Amino acid sequence: MAYKTIVEDGIDVLVCGAGLGGTGAAFEARYWGKDKKIVIAEKANIDRSGAVAQGLYAINCYMGTRFGENNPEDHVRYARIDLMGMVREDLLFDMARHVDSAVHQFEEWGLPLMRNPKTGAYQREGRWQIMIHGESYKPIVAEAAKKSADKVFNRVCVTHLLMDDSKENRVAGAVGFNVRTGNYHVFKSKTVVVAAGGASNIFKPRSVGEGAGRVWYAPWSSGSAYGLMIGAGAKMTQMENRIVLARFKDGYGPVGAYFLHLKTYTQNGMGEEYESKWFPALEEMVGKRYLDIEASHLTHRPIPTCLRNHAFIHEVNAGRGPIHMVTMEAFQDPHLEEIGWHNFLGMTVGQAVLWAATDVDPKYENPELTTSEPYVMGSHATGCGAWCSGPEDLSPPEYFWGYNRMTTVEGLFGAGDAVGGTPHAFSSGSFTEGRLAAKAACKYIDDGKAEGIRVSEEQIKRRKEEIYKPMEHYKIYRNEITAGSVNPNYINPRQGLDRLQKLMDEYCGGVTVSYMTNEKLLNIGLKKLKLLEEDLEKIAAENIHELLRAWELKHRHLTSEAVMHHTMFRKETRWPGYYYRGDAMKVDDDNWHVLTVSHRDPKTGEYTMEKAPCYHLIEDKPEAAAA
Ligand code: SFD
Ligand code: AMP
């Protein structure tokens, strides 16, 4: 292969993926590692990469302790009830106690945060969310990271982590290729912070044909955080906890600003309130602990996000759709009307464009909502990700093995979507997690834990061959195309993605089956995933761009397999509205008040599953958990 090999040696902290978590990691690594070599490898361009590429209109995680608003304990209570109990409270608390300082820095760096003119505090959207003029959010945090790093490699898609050849289960860097030049990049590093983001486009999206690619989470979120870490043998947690979101139809515009700030509400197709109708039956399924209807009115305890979805999905299935967002009242106020549009112009411009293009004026027409296809990520109302050590001052022994946010692979750290059990971190919390991970990575190096790392030439060569194999395969077999892009010897990345999405949708609880699955379906799904894995060995890439798509697909495949195994393992329906196990339709606290942990053996591909204790470190105070 003609592509050059470019080796970057002697790195201390390698950041793989520089979205919100990665930029936080690079920034903080410089603070604790003044003389350390910090390098970023980013698939796109750091200035506009990741889920925040397009900007955001709110920072969804801010305590406001400085203004006497909230404390981290309450945030843990809120996230815990929203996730039906299943969170890593040590990691959550740790993020929440540091997140405000990250937000204050964003403001210092030039991010315009809105202020409440009466109080001088930041303008609240909801209890936890503050409003921003955030179109340039990503370039602003990128600047801090660029100034901190010794080198930024843009356009390098990281495909694999390098492992230490002298010590089992210790990371040694990463490899990948430049998506423009095709060059092979080798990064030899003492520690790696993986912050390569969550996954869209694993489950078949509602958007098809000309709309394909329109999804809520960024279409370029390829599950690489999970693919890289699973591939290296890191344990994962809560991968069954995929998220379904209520969104404005077809443009996937988020609803938070509307519900919380504009105080809009939903109605069924007949103009009726429908949510509360579903709660009594739902209380039977999940128990009073998670949906105490009477108490929730008194305490303003939040209705968990998944349960709100449940009411939505069931109302539509009962034939009383579509669900509308009642905007016509709020939009009569010119200020709120402006906020409603700005919210999308600064964050999900496609929604504003779609309304304009289809003559939907929310002032005169209540727009339709829908429930999205599931996404696999770990920083919204969901906590998929790696099983990581917590901080030493908070974590019980089962949650602590030396370094904050270190995975079960030595020297391998995570942040943002990469870390499991830490929902409701959002952009600010992900950045904060990056900071915490990088601080711990520096300590790991200073403690001498990275001494004696060796990467063999054999490993570097083997990975190179593996990376470019799809292009080789294409070269060899391209002449055997029978029609269009059909070739008996290979599939291309688009064909592979379609197949993955279809099988995840049908067997693992996507939109076309109303989020329903069961053990039988999951078993078939797993078998089909294995067959797909065999075919992915023969995937063909016509050019470098397709090579990127091929590797994104492989990462999505590894992610999907973990989701399928986890969904099979947890024999209950913990999050009605995210997915249903038809063969175990209730929350089962006696057996399943636990976190799920998986391990994929990198050599054999075999999965082992285990339960881990779900410790409640913060005492319960229902009234303190308000949304
Ligand atoms: O309204 C590789 N998010 C929101 N957060 C908020 O705080 N407020 C909001 O308003 C939010 N909303 C929202 C949000 C996201 C999106 C898409 C929309 C609306 C439309 C969530 C946050 O964005 C999210 O929590 C964080 O960004 C997560 O951070 P992180 O670091 O885990 O992921 P990332 O930012 O996507 O970065 C990943 C980076 O990795 C790169 N990458 N690099 C090298 N090799 C590979 N193989 C790679 N694969 C990926 C990516 O390019 C990227 O830079 S609302 O809906 O709630
Ligand atoms: P979203 O725009 O749906 O991504 O949500 C943004 C923020 O608002 C998140 O913190 C959500 O948990 C919160 N949120 C959205 N809808 C509601 C609601 N109906 N009630 C309470 N919180 C909500």
Side-chain angles (χ1 to χ4, degrees), residues 400-412:
F400 181 70
W401 46 96
Y403 298 93
N404 201 356
R405 265 84 184 168
M406 189 168 86
T407 66
T408 54
V409 173
E410 283 179 49
L412 175 61

Side-chain angles (χ1 to χ4, degrees), residues 99-406:
V99 69
D100 282 14
S101 71
V103 174
H104 301 154
Q105 266 168 340
F106 297 161
E107 191 175 37
E108 271 173 39
W109 297 339
L111 181 69
L113 309 186
M114 296 184 206
R115 295 253 178 196
N116 179 330
K118 287 193 201 115
T119 63
Y122 297 130
Q123 177 65 52
R124 281 280 172 197
E125 180 177 292
R127 177 171 177 189
W128 305 105
Q129 304 82 0
I130 56 172
M131 297 169 74
I132 61 174
H133 292 290
E135 186 276 338
S136 298
Y137 192 173
K138 187 64 214 298
I140 288 168
V141 295
E143 191 180 342
K146 287 194 291 189
K147 284 185 170 149
S148 305
D150 291 277
K151 278 191 183 175
V152 178
F153 289 83
N154 282 317
R155 309 282 173 205
V156 172
C157 172
V158 177
T159 56
H160 303 85
L161 296 174
L162 283 173
M163 300 305 285
D164 182 6
D165 284 308
S166 67
K167 187 171 184 233
E168 266 296 278
N169 196 41
R170 188 163 70 164
V171 82
V175 293
F177 63 97
N178 185 300
V179 304
R180 294 276 163 85
T181 63
N183 289 336
Y184 178 51
H185 283 265
V186 179
F187 302 95
K188 296 187 183 174
S189 185
K190 289 181 179 156
T191 63
V192 180
V193 180
V194 168
S200 58
N201 279 315
I202 273 185
F203 287 83
K204 183 153 89 186
R206 286 197 188 270
S207 311
V208 292
E210 63 86 31
R214 228 185 261 149
V215 282
W216 164 68
Y217 215 43
W220 45 83
S221 295
S222 49
S224 288
Y226 310 129
L228 291 170
M229 294 188 300
I230 294 169
K235 287 187 177 179
M236 307 300 286
T237 188
Q238 300 300 100
M239 292 299 283
E240 70 277 26
N241 183 213
R242 77 299 282 284
I243 183 170
V244 169
L245 300 114
R247 286 289 176 263
F248 283 100
K249 191 163 180 300
D250 298 335
Y252 291 90
V255 296
Y258 279 71
F259 275 131
L260 302 176
H261 192 69
L262 273 59
K263 306 273 187 278
T264 60
Y265 53 93
T266 51
Q267 278 178 348
N268 70 10
M270 276 101 96
E272 301 159 346
E273 189 279 330
Y274 62 92
E275 252 184 16
S276 59
K277 265 196 318 209
W278 294 99
F279 290 154
L282 197 50
E283 200 172 273
E284 288 278 294
M285 273 174 81
V286 303
K288 247 189 164 20
R289 184 169 175 177
Y290 303 107
L291 186 65
D292 188 339
I293 302 163
E294 275 161 47
S296 64
H297 289 314
L298 296 174
T299 60
H300 306 286
R301 199 178 170 121
I303 304 292
T305 306
C306 61
L307 303 187
R308 274 186 268 124
N309 287 348
H310 174 90
F312 189 134
I313 294 162
H314 281 70
E315 189 68 9
V316 170
N317 287 351
R320 288 187 291 271
I323 303 299
H324 285 119
M325 184 73 106
V326 180
T327 51
M328 283 163 65
E329 293 164 16
F331 272 59
Q332 299 311 317
D333 174 338
H335 172 66
L336 294 184
E337 182 186 16
E338 193 177 314
I339 300 259
W341 283 101
H342 276 187
N343 177 55
F344 290 141
L345 291 170
M347 172 163 71
T348 311
V349 68
Q351 186 67 59
V353 172
L354 188 79
W355 279 346
T358 51
D359 293 337
V360 173
D361 184 344
K363 193 173 178 178
Y364 303 111
E365 178 181 344
N366 294 327
E368 276 178 73
L369 296 179
T370 190
T371 51
S372 74
E373 56 284 344
Y375 296 84
V376 187
M377 46 103 62
S379 60
H380 202 280
T382 170
C384 307
W387 182 239
C388 287
S389 175
E392 61 186 346
D393 63 331
L394 295 174
S395 307
E398 288 95 332
Y399 293 176
F400 181 70
W401 46 96
Y403 298 93
N404 201 356
R405 265 84 184 168
M406 189 168 86

